[in-house]
Amino acid sequence: MSDVQKQAEKATVVLRRQTWEVEAGITARELLKKLNLNPQSYLVTRDGELISEDTIIRPGDKIRLVAVISGG
Amino acid sequence: MPMRCRKCRQKAVINMRQHRLALCKEHYVEWFQHQTERTIKKYKMFRKDEPVLVAVSGGKDSLALWDVLLALGYQADGFYLRLGIDEGIRYSEESYAKIKAFVEQHPGVKLHVVDVKETYGESIPEVARRVQRGKGKPCSVCGLIKRHEMNRVAYELGYPVLATGHNLDDEVAVLFSNTLNWQVGYLARQHPVLPGREGFARKVKPFCRFYERETAAYALLRGIDYMYEECPFSVGANTIYYKELLNKLEEERPGAKLHFYLSFLRAKEKERLFANWQKSQAELHACEQCGQPTSAPGRCAFCRLWPEDVLSKPEEAFVPLTLVAEPEAVK
Ligand SMILES: [Zn+2]
Ligand SMILES: [Zn+2]
């Protein structure tokens, strides 16, 4: 498989100033677990829309994670 | 089989394991507003004919609360305290910008603003650097000033109710910390409603039964642009540590946080847990400078922060600036 094809299998995940490339085909919940993040503490959005924990991450998805814990 | 909304069977955007409830965007917003109303009624927080002052910080919880109260038809006005925290990320300025944008999108709403530095001569970091209480971190001084100014403004503008955006995670973090240290006094007082006394507003927390991820989801789904950056001074705060710890527990045992909080409230109500303590400590004094309730006679902790000449300025020096969203500002 070429590098271009490999790239297409992945999704981009952004949390604050961090970015990851992850394999697509897993659920939003599995994605968080994979990144060692607690699903209770983050929301997952795709193209600005909130997605539920069982939503499958597709190749090329731009995922933004929203941390929900605040200091208060 | 994707997760479906319980109401309409469309694809869900959120699943709340502790309620075994998945909802789509539209029904989540509806559910969230309805639950807020239920909490307000359950704890007898306030009525539709009582003006409510909502303490807004620019963060997700307080702006979401203001949004819900307006949507439900309550008389909710905002109060923002300009703290003067910059620390290289213009924290206070950015927070204020979010609040002003929210106000512009809600024609007719009222926002009262007090600038700490303009009113008392020093910003939060400046007072904190000067006084003993602020040594290390300004959070204790900041909390003290916020509480005092909320009380003062509600009193002076005649609001009987003061609402804050505290969510269940905030409450549980405090409860956990106070239990670890057996802070009986604080435990006795912790409740969704603190009754008002001698003209001072009743304090209420209409979001006390929502998880933090639920208030964040509501803000996101309603398109509320909130201050995402944390206060630069909250880095490494105990609250954040306890919240992470409790979320680990919640992840293993869905509903653990909710149960911890609700069973605490039930024990206080049904078993009269801490009831005697509450009675014996109920005696408060009026601060001889500002009149606010304080635990010891003399001047309260807030008034002791400032030199005499600051507090003896003419009365108009302490009046908040009030902004009202123009009707033509509708978007
Ligand atoms: Zn639905
Ligand atoms: Zn005082």
Side-chain angles (χ1 to χ4, degrees):
Chain A
M1 211 168 20
S2 75
D3 279 358
V4 176
Q5 273 172 315
K6 255 188 222 161
Q7 205 54 40
E9 300 299 309
K10 302 214 169 186
T12 312
V13 182
V14 177
L15 170 62
R16 297 207 169 94
R17 277 164 282 279
Q18 271 176 291
T19 306
W20 296 274
E21 296 284 320
V22 298
E23 295 289 337
I26 57 173
T27 65
R29 186 179 174 79
E30 287 162 348
L31 168 73
L32 290 171
K33 294 266 186 190
K34 204 169 188 167
L35 298 176
N36 239 334
L37 301 171
N38 187 333
Q40 301 305 316
S41 305
Y42 297 87
L43 294 172
V44 183
T45 69
R46 175 163 67 197
D47 305 324
E49 299 284 335
L50 184 63
I51 55 173
S52 65
E53 55 187 358
D54 68 326
T55 306
I56 305 286
I57 306 302
R58 298 174 306 213
D61 271 354
K62 301 261 181 289
I63 302 292
R64 190 173 64 92
L65 304 179
V66 179
V68 304
I69 291 184
S70 72
Chain B
M1 183 67 184
M3 222 168 250
R4 298 275 171 199
C5 170
R6 184 192 282 178
K7 298 247 168 87
C8 70
R9 314 307 298 161
Q10 304 259 56
K11 175 132 185 42
V13 296
I14 189 165
N15 178 39
M16 293 167 284
R17 296 196 300 169
Q18 82 279 21
H19 300 309
R20 293 200 183 86
L21 180 63
L23 293 168
C24 70
K25 176 176 176 171
E26 182 196 336
H27 287 119
Y28 179 72
V29 167
E30 186 185 281
W31 174 85
F32 190 89
Q33 293 179 348
H34 180 66
Q35 289 301 311
T36 307
E37 178 123 66
R38 278 187 58 176
T39 300
I40 291 168
K41 289 189 169 143
K42 180 177 173 62
Y43 298 106
K44 299 188 174 61
M45 292 182 170
F46 47 89
R47 302 182 312 259
K48 287 251 155 81
D49 61 353
E50 286 180 299
V52 181
L53 190 63
V54 184
V56 287
S57 65
K60 65 183 187 313
D61 300 292
S62 56
L63 287 181
L65 175 61
W66 200 4
D67 181 81
V68 172
L69 295 182
L70 291 170
L72 291 171
Y74 285 98
Q75 299 177 44
D77 299 334
F79 168 61
Y80 176 58
L81 187 64
R82 301 186 71 179
L83 308 169
I85 295 174
D86 185 285
E87 305 306 298
I89 64 159
R90 292 168 36 88
Y91 175 74
S92 289
E93 279 318 297
E94 296 288 330
S95 304
Y96 191 30
K98 302 288 184 197
I99 296 168
K100 281 192 285 192
F102 180 95
V103 168
E104 274 172 25
Q105 284 162 9
H106 294 74
V109 305
K110 225 184 258 177
L111 173 71
H112 308 290
V113 182
V114 168
D115 187 313
V116 176
K117 181 154 183 153
E118 271 173 25
T119 311
Y120 298 98
E122 284 172 315
S123 69
I124 296 283
E126 287 166 349
V127 199
R129 273 195 290 273
R130 180 173 51 80
V131 301
Q132 189 55 40
R133 196 187 173 113
K135 293 285 176 290
K137 275 198 164 205
C139 304
S140 160
V141 166
C142 186
L144 171 66
I145 293 176
K146 273 186 197 160
R147 281 191 298 278
H148 187 275
E149 291 300 277
M150 283 193 301
N151 280 336
R152 178 178 75 80
V153 169
Y155 180 87
E156 285 174 5
L157 301 179
Y159 288 90
V161 186
L162 194 52
T164 54
H166 292 97
N167 57 52
L168 188 135
D169 291 58
D170 294 320
E171 293 304 297
V172 162
V174 167
L175 174 58
F176 186 64
S177 160
N178 287 338
T179 306
L180 278 183
N181 300 297
W182 287 110
Q183 295 272 10
V184 179
Y186 291 135
L187 289 166
R189 258 171 293 165
Q190 190 176 359
H191 194 76
V193 182
L194 287 181
R197 45 196 309 157
E198 277 132 56
F200 287 97
R202 168 159 82 247
K203 289 183 182 162
V204 298
K205 298 169 181 171
F207 280 179
C208 67
R209 294 169 74 111
F210 288 129
Y211 282 3
E212 193 148 23
R213 71 191 289 272
E214 292 155 17
T215 61
Y218 180 84
L220 208 69
L221 292 171
R222 288 283 281 172
I224 297 170
D225 183 20
Y226 63 87
M227 184 68 182
Y228 184 60
E229 293 297 326
E230 281 298 309
C231 172
F233 294 116
S234 76
V235 176
N238 275 337
T239 314
I240 295 179
Y241 173 72
Y242 289 139
K243 282 181 174 178
E244 282 168 355
L245 205 59
L246 288 155
N247 272 350
K248 278 185 195 156
L249 177 66
E250 180 72 25
E251 178 62 14
E252 301 292 325
R253 299 171 182 217
K257 288 187 297 188
L258 183 66
H259 180 74
F260 184 36
Y261 185 57
L262 294 184
S263 54
F264 164 70
L265 293 183
R266 211 173 302 128
K268 287 179 75 171
E269 200 198 342
K270 299 261 156 65
E271 324 286 343
R272 313 293 301 146
L273 180 70
F274 304 127
N276 290 333
W277 201 95
Q278 216 161 1
K279 249 179 257 152
S280 69
Q281 299 291 317
E283 203 197 322
L284 288 175
H285 307 262
C287 165
E288 59 189 34
Q289 178 91 50
C290 70
Q292 287 201 21
T294 171
S295 51
R299 296 203 303 161
C300 73
F302 174 86
C303 292
R304 280 185 276 121
L305 286 177
W306 312 99
E308 286 288 341
D309 60 319
V310 169
L311 297 176
S312 57
K313 286 192 293 187
E315 234 167 67
E316 56 267 30
F318 300 99
V319 174
L321 165 76
T322 299
L323 307 174
V324 183
E326 301 277 339
E328 58 265 34
V330 191
K331 287 203 179 111

